[in-house]
Amino acid sequence: MDYAVLVRNLVFLGLIAIMPFPVRLLSDYSNRPLAVAIYAVAFITAMQLQRLMWLDVTRPEHRDLLREPVPDEVRTGFGRVLLGLLVLFGAAVPVGMFAPRYATLVWVVIIPLRLLVARLTKWPSWRPTGT
């Protein structure tokens, strides 16, 4: 464990610990843009921290942090998956700002849509055969 990973992990866990607040805020005030914004900022920040930790820990210079090294295609592929979800979720935030009632619907549709696109495009190409 190195210091940067430790700090990011603690901040990430702190965000996860307070996540019930934005979720409750969104459930109670789903028609308010501020509730959507607070939830979106908390969720996007947590996703970005998770992505940064993954990319940092799996860097070739940090191979000593893992029991087994992660192949470069897996590292970059999963990094792209996290970035794609981050971009899709973030792109839906303006919808939530102008039509807050539909924000949660858009976010719920993102995951199946992403999986459908993945299946149609045979993505990710780095997935081991037979899975």
Side-chain angles (χ1 to χ4, degrees):
M1 179 73 58
D2 71 349
Y3 184 74
V5 173
L6 181 64
V7 169
R8 284 187 189 128
N9 197 28
L10 286 174
V11 173
F12 177 72
L13 291 174
L15 277 171
I16 299 305
I18 65 166
M19 200 56 127
F21 172 72
V23 169
R24 179 65 187 255
L25 196 64
L26 185 63
S27 72
D28 289 349
Y29 302 101
S30 61
N31 58 342
R32 305 279 171 96
L34 184 60
V36 172
I38 290 171
Y39 176 78
V41 166
F43 193 83
I44 288 171
T45 304
M47 285 178 68
Q48 180 63 11
L49 281 169
Q50 180 184 19
R51 182 176 164 272
L52 288 173
M53 281 190 299
W54 167 258
L55 292 174
D56 188 36
V57 168
T58 58
R59 279 189 324 188
E61 303 86 39
H62 284 172
R63 293 201 191 268
D64 58 326
L65 294 176
L66 300 174
R67 187 171 297 155
E68 295 179 21
V70 176
D72 288 336
E73 59 271 4
V74 172
R75 178 183 185 269
T76 57
F78 191 65
R80 275 192 236 127
V81 168
L82 292 174
L83 181 62
L85 289 173
L86 187 65
V87 168
L88 284 173
F89 190 87
V93 171
V95 172
M97 295 284 93
F98 296 108
R101 290 181 186 253
Y102 297 108
T104 53
L105 178 64
V106 170
W107 289 328
V108 166
V109 170
I110 284 174
I111 301 296
L113 183 63
R114 178 82 170 150
L115 294 173
L116 178 66
V117 169
R119 181 158 302 252
L120 293 175
T121 61
K122 305 261 188 266
W123 165 91
S125 61
W126 50 267
R127 183 183 306 155
T129 57
T131 57

